[in-house]
Amino acid sequence: MSQQDRSAGWAAYYDKLRDRPPRKTVIAALDLFDPPSTDSLVIDLGCGDGRDVVEMVRRGWSVVAVDAEPAALQQLAAREMPDSERVTPIAARLEEVPLPLGLTWVNSSFAMPLCEPEPFHILWERIREALPVGGRFTGQWYGIRDSWEGRPGITFLEREQALVLLDGFDLEMFEEEEADSVTPRGNPKHWHIFHIVARKR
Ligand SMILES: C[S@@+](CC[C@H](N)C(=O)[O-])C[C@H]1O[C@@H](n2cnc3c(N)ncnc32)[C@H](O)[C@@H]1O
């Protein structure tokens, strides 16, 4: 698929999902964290057009919002959002972006597996190191029975592999979902997903 086709696909995805609520993993973390202070910082890797960012800001967080697609950050900027000065958009690949000092939360909703396995594992090690004790990772990883398994540029994990990676974290949510449905772009798909809220010990 050309970069142009990929970008057009993501732009259609943002339009289709524009009014969806924040992900359940994000809502769970917002409820679990103590009320944020003025310097509470979260990085959202693969933020899309910002369905999670809006809620993070509304609940008092400062957000570094990272996405490789310019259209995602344009649509994020176009959202009506009080306190939008607390959002720092960064156009970058999530496997390459530096993790800012002082963050207490890393979120990646349906985005972190969208890179090759080696960069995925290097990124996860960087996330583990960057989070302080009590900090959280939230997001979705893909399981090996997902029907996209085998596509290049995506990482799939066995349940046991995912649990090993999460060693050293308390699992506040670890839900394995398998379902047949259609993608936001209308294609049939078997989803195999791990929904994760993990607190570093
Ligand atoms: C499925 S969407 C999810 C968007 C949003 N987090 C949500 O939950 O609706 C995946 C997003 O990740 C971005 N993305 C995919 N691979 C990426 C990468 N390697 N680096 C940065 N962004 C990436 C895409 O541009 C897209 O906006």
Side-chain angles (χ1 to χ4, degrees):
M1 189 192 284
S2 71
Q3 182 54 47
Q4 207 177 6
D5 288 347
R6 195 171 297 128
S7 294
W10 283 126
Y13 174 96
Y14 307 139
D15 283 344
K16 186 110 195 228
L17 271 65
R18 168 154 290 275
D19 297 322
R20 296 279 178 93
R23 303 288 183 181
K24 65 180 177 182
T25 36
V26 166
I27 292 173
L30 285 166
D31 291 345
L32 285 161
F33 272 113
D34 290 336
S37 57
T38 48
D39 56 358
S40 293
L41 183 64
V42 52
I43 187 167
D44 191 2
L45 299 171
C47 61
D49 70 340
R51 66 192 279 180
D52 293 333
V53 174
V54 170
E55 186 65 5
M56 290 161 171
V57 171
R58 194 182 72 80
R59 301 271 296 258
W61 286 77
S62 294
V63 186
V64 175
V66 178
D67 205 285
E69 284 296 329
L73 300 180
Q74 283 160 12
Q75 297 211 18
L76 171 61
R79 281 183 183 266
E80 293 287 323
M81 202 187 332
D83 303 319
S84 59
E85 70 281 358
R86 279 198 269 111
V87 180
T88 305
I90 299 183
R93 293 193 61 82
L94 54 86
E95 61 272 47
E96 292 166 2
V97 74
L99 299 174
L101 288 174
L103 58 79
T104 43
W105 180 9
V106 177
N107 178 61
S108 188
S109 299
F110 287 88
M112 188 176 161
L114 301 177
C115 60
E116 296 285 348
E118 191 180 349
F120 174 95
H121 287 281
I122 293 171
L123 172 60
W124 176 243
E125 275 316 305
R126 290 201 293 126
I127 291 172
R128 286 181 75 101
E129 280 169 26
L131 282 173
V133 171
R136 287 184 172 87
F137 170 77
T138 54
Q140 284 71 25
W141 291 347
Y142 291 163
I144 47 144
R145 288 185 295 283
D146 196 281
S147 57
W148 286 350
E149 210 277 333
R151 283 194 186 185
I154 308 182
T155 299
F156 302 89
L157 301 169
E158 304 255 12
R159 179 188 174 90
E160 279 313 308
Q161 264 181 302
L163 289 170
V164 167
L165 290 178
L166 291 163
D167 192 30
F169 286 74
D170 292 322
L171 298 185
E172 297 168 315
M173 183 190 297
F174 186 82
E175 288 180 14
E176 185 171 3
E177 179 184 356
E178 286 206 50
D180 290 306
S181 114
V182 288
T183 67
R185 300 178 202 183
N187 300 316
K189 181 172 188 298
H190 182 76
W191 297 91
H192 185 195
I193 298 189
F194 303 108
H195 300 272
I196 301 163
V197 178
R199 182 176 187 272
K200 187 166 161 181
R201 279 200 290 273

